[in-house]
Amino acid sequence: MAAFLQQIINGLSLGSIYALIALGYTMVYGIIQLINFAHGDILMVGAYVGFLAVVYLKLNIWWAFFLAVASCSLLGVIIERIAYRPLRNAPRLAALITAIGVSLLLENGGLMVLGTDIRSYPAGTINNVQLPITLMGIPITVTTLQIIILAVTIAIMLFLQYIVRYTWAGKAMRAVSYDSDAARLMGINVDNTISVTFALGSAFAAVAGILLGLYYNTIQPLMGIMPGLKAFVAAVIGGIGLIPGAMVGGFALGIFETMVSGYWSSKMRDPIVFLLLILILLIKPAGLLGKSNTEKV
Amino acid sequence: MFKRRNLLTAAGILFIYFVVYALQSMGMISKFQEINLMMLGINIILAVSLNLIVGFTGQLALGHAGFMAVGAYVAAVLTMKLHQPFALAIVCGALAAAVAGIIIGLPTLRLKGDYLAIATLGFGEIIKGMANNIEYIGGAAGLIGIPRLTNWTILYVMMVITIVVIVNFLNSTHGRACVAIRENEIAAETMGINTTYYKVMAFALGAFFAGVAGALYAHYFYLIQPTSFTFFRSFDVLVMVVFGGLGSITGSIIAAAAITLVNAALQDLAVLRMVIYAVLLIVIMVFRPQGLMGNKELSLGNRIAKRGAAGGSA
């Protein structure tokens, strides 16, 4: 039982990172129906900006977060402007291929500039101590890092919900994702709205990148690929295009993955995760929280 | 069947084969060129078979590397461990891949667009993961020491068979049904086309030839590992298909050739190669999103036949 609870705790912290990444996918997918394959690599850039800020600029970790968020938002907007905007009316596959191209560019550009070395944030970047906690009479350990990860994620989720529900930009985003042509007719600047979406999504990726770097204690130029794919899986599981879906999917995936590696084998982790994806798609093709609508001729 | 056009095409096909064969027997083809020649043939098989699924049937699938892996592993086990002849191994590998295509296709083809893409991508990862976990086929280390049985003749024959079968399939009732599904699935269904049946058929046929490509690949490079079949390989093939033009077989062939050559030309640049490749990809897609050929075909036989006919009447 103690082990089980411990797995849940570990799964929650991994899951909240997935949820953060999935948010970016979901927002971008919701607004332009594009699987932004480069999202995982933006995460990698965020992790490195944070690393450089901590190691070379000797900044404290919170400033590193700030710097990573700022630079990744900018990067996201630039990528959208250069690579995706010209393809807005092109066949969707062309846009998908471009996204793959951007992903390859960031990965290999990263390899070229940063080398293949695996690095880690210096010890003491974050004050990480193990806290023994007794939950319902069962002793488990929670690290401060896990608490920070969970808290940051929940704060960001609430922040995003606030933006999407109550601000002007959020209304514009919802309008564009519902029907971009109609939104344009109503005087919404569609291009700007899409840029804002990319900036926000990339900002979350940057935060997730640093958290992931701290969590696994390693960063390297290809670190974004698998978390990126898995976060996309999380978004699909929850119901892509839905913000609560990203959260539910992220947590579900994180816990499930930790359980598989804890109780079975860590080698089986990735295949089982994808098997889960296929099963969920078969049972509920629109994801756990999604509603499917039948298309008519 | 024996139209002037077909005869000319056949002559062209034979001509290319003998030119390369002659060059090879005269020792004019270096090791490096030979590797790229083999990759070229394998890529053409992969691209043409994926185009059947993505370009003609309109089902965005990202699991082609998975089918290739099935073909490669099954064929390699047959020749290496069970000492069966290579021809049988290719057929069995391809059949195994086709069965995998049906198993995956039946449930997942109910999904549409990006959902199908991500499900097939997941499927590719599952195959890779299984290869990683089965010790009999080498686990993560892979199979080493597969006999080198793929040569120019086998490769070329397989390539031609792939193209001929798929082109003929596309020109048959079945192929037309596939194109109808691409154009509008609901309308096709209303017209009485059994969409599931044709989608699975296209999927299985595409997977079959991906299996052939996998078997050829395994028997040329001695070594297969789970990491040889990551989703990047699927992407690579998809890139060829989209670059060549969805719905153009000749486009896929040209694109497969072009991309293989670009890869070969940039070989020495290590990481920079992939950067250039990525930039090229983005630039090409931004400026020509419909691909090189769009949905047009280029026919060697047709051209010559037309010219011949014009000359004859003059």
Side-chain angles (χ1 to χ4, degrees):
Chain A
M1 193 61 196
F4 181 75
L5 266 183
Q6 190 66 54
Q7 300 286 9
I8 295 263
I9 300 284
N10 296 345
L12 271 179
S13 38
L14 182 62
S16 50
I17 299 181
Y18 283 155
L20 265 187
I21 314 170
L23 271 184
Y25 273 116
T26 256
M27 289 168 66
V28 167
Y29 192 88
I31 207 155
I32 55 172
Q33 268 80 50
L34 168 76
I35 306 178
N36 182 13
F37 273 106
H39 196 65
D41 303 300
I42 295 178
L43 170 153
M44 174 273 292
V45 173
Y48 268 97
V49 172
F51 173 79
L52 297 175
V54 169
V55 174
Y56 294 103
L57 302 179
K58 311 275 181 228
L59 292 174
N60 115 0
I61 185 74
W62 304 110
W63 279 104
F65 268 116
F66 177 76
L67 215 59
V69 162
S71 45
C72 283
S73 300
L74 191 64
L75 179 66
V77 172
I78 292 172
I79 289 174
E80 194 274 328
R81 185 77 193 76
I82 292 175
Y84 301 155
R85 192 172 293 181
L87 286 161
R88 197 126 338 129
N89 297 317
R92 295 204 14 216
L93 254 181
L96 188 75
I97 299 276
T98 315
I100 295 166
V102 174
S103 164
L104 286 175
L105 180 64
L106 287 178
E107 278 156 23
N108 293 289
L111 279 175
M112 209 163 80
V113 177
L114 305 161
T116 47
D117 305 351
I118 295 176
R119 297 166 208 250
S120 53
Y121 288 93
T125 302
I126 209 154
N127 188 16
N128 193 15
V129 283
Q130 298 203 330
L131 309 170
I133 291 182
T134 323
L135 200 69
M136 293 177 291
I138 301 160
I140 46 173
T141 41
V142 179
T143 63
T144 34
L145 180 61
Q146 285 177 324
I147 293 173
I148 290 173
I149 289 175
L150 201 63
V152 166
T153 305
I154 289 173
I156 285 180
M157 295 283 174
L158 294 176
F159 170 67
L160 186 63
Q161 277 294 354
Y162 168 75
I163 289 191
V164 170
R165 274 173 191 261
Y166 301 109
T167 64
W168 203 88
K171 276 183 191 154
M173 277 159 69
R174 280 186 288 154
V176 173
S177 85
Y178 189 75
D179 184 337
S180 66
D181 289 329
R184 204 186 303 269
L185 287 176
M186 301 310 288
I188 292 172
N189 188 333
V190 173
D191 285 338
N192 281 355
T193 311
I194 293 175
S195 293
V196 170
T197 311
F198 267 89
L200 270 175
S202 308
F204 301 152
V207 174
I210 297 184
L211 291 178
L212 206 62
L214 288 168
Y215 190 72
Y216 284 133
N217 211 15
T218 51
I219 56 172
Q220 42 107 356
L222 302 181
M223 69 185 275
I225 301 175
M226 253 305 148
L229 268 183
K230 290 219 189 109
F232 185 74
V233 168
V236 173
I237 287 178
I240 197 156
L242 304 166
I243 292 169
M247 190 141 171
V248 169
F251 282 128
L253 194 71
I255 292 174
F256 184 74
E257 195 181 310
T258 328
M259 292 289 171
V260 172
S261 26
Y263 286 102
W264 193 2
S265 136
S266 58
K267 268 166 94 185
M268 288 309 288
R269 195 182 59 197
D270 295 354
I272 293 289
V273 162
F274 286 105
L275 194 65
L276 175 79
L277 165 82
I278 292 179
L279 289 180
I280 287 187
L281 282 179
L282 292 180
I283 300 161
K284 278 197 69 117
L288 290 178
L289 302 186
K291 289 194 192 73
S292 56
N293 46 342
T294 320
E295 200 183 331
K296 298 199 179 74
V297 184
Chain B
M1 169 122 189
F2 291 106
K3 279 184 206 153
R4 188 188 169 94
R5 189 181 74 133
N6 289 353
L7 288 177
L8 279 168
T9 310
I13 290 169
L14 279 176
F15 177 72
I16 296 172
Y17 167 73
F18 280 115
V19 167
V20 176
Y21 187 80
L23 285 175
Q24 203 177 23
S25 26
M26 286 189 293
M28 304 264 281
I29 292 180
S30 70
K31 198 78 213 148
F32 177 71
Q33 286 164 334
E34 191 191 291
I35 290 174
N36 285 304
L37 198 63
M38 295 293 171
M39 267 331 284
L40 176 65
I42 291 168
N43 282 339
I44 287 177
I45 296 176
L46 286 170
V48 170
S49 59
L50 186 66
N51 202 348
L52 172 66
I53 301 173
V54 179
F56 287 94
T57 319
Q59 307 299 313
L60 177 50
L62 283 176
H64 225 50
F67 298 129
M68 193 184 166
V70 172
Y73 272 105
V74 169
V77 166
L78 277 172
T79 54
M80 204 177 134
K81 302 211 168 183
L82 307 173
H83 308 290
Q84 299 300 314
F86 187 35
L88 182 73
I90 294 180
V91 172
C92 289
L95 283 176
V99 170
I102 292 170
I103 293 173
I104 272 300
L106 271 176
T108 52
L109 284 171
R110 293 190 315 183
L111 304 169
K112 291 198 169 59
D114 298 322
Y115 286 100
L116 177 65
I118 203 73
T120 46
L121 192 157
F123 157 71
E125 291 297 303
I126 292 172
I127 295 274
K128 203 186 87 189
M130 275 162 59
N132 242 327
N133 280 288
I134 300 174
E135 285 311 315
Y136 180 69
I137 52 172
L143 279 177
I144 303 163
I146 302 163
R148 172 170 278 189
L149 297 168
T150 303
N151 57 31
W152 168 244
T153 307
I154 293 176
L155 180 87
Y156 196 76
V157 168
M158 285 298 156
M159 196 180 89
V160 171
I161 290 177
T162 307
I163 297 170
V164 167
V165 169
I166 288 182
V167 167
N168 279 305
F169 176 82
L170 287 172
N171 288 326
S172 71
T173 328
H174 310 296
R176 295 293 147 200
C178 290
V179 174
I181 293 171
R182 173 188 73 188
E183 293 300 328
N184 189 328
E185 195 168 335
I186 297 156
E189 202 159 5
T190 321
M191 299 305 289
I193 293 172
N194 185 346
T195 50
T196 314
Y197 175 76
Y198 284 110
K199 283 198 284 185
V200 172
M201 185 189 254
F203 216 62
L205 196 60
F208 181 88
F209 287 111
V212 171
L216 295 173
Y217 178 88
H219 290 85
Y220 185 75
F221 289 99
Y222 307 112
L223 159 78
I224 44 174
Q225 287 173 309
T227 47
S228 321
F229 306 104
T230 57
F231 69 101
F232 279 109
R233 192 170 292 280
S234 302
F235 281 163
D236 231 18
V237 184
L238 186 69
V239 166
M240 289 170 200
V241 171
V242 177
F243 177 41
L246 291 166
S248 170
I249 293 291
T250 35
S252 291
I253 298 172
I254 295 169
I259 289 176
T260 315
L261 292 179
V262 167
N263 266 329
L266 300 174
Q267 201 80 48
D268 298 332
L269 300 174
V271 181
L272 186 62
R273 173 179 78 106
M274 288 308 292
V275 174
I276 296 175
Y277 180 74
V279 172
L280 274 180
L281 203 62
I282 298 168
V283 170
I284 290 169
M285 279 301 125
V286 167
F287 288 103
R288 200 164 168 81
Q290 75 275 40
L292 276 180
M293 303 281 295
N295 55 6
K296 295 188 185 66
E297 297 285 358
L298 197 77
S299 167
L300 186 67
N302 238 351
R303 283 273 155 103
I304 302 171
K306 260 186 208 152
R307 194 170 298 166
S313 66

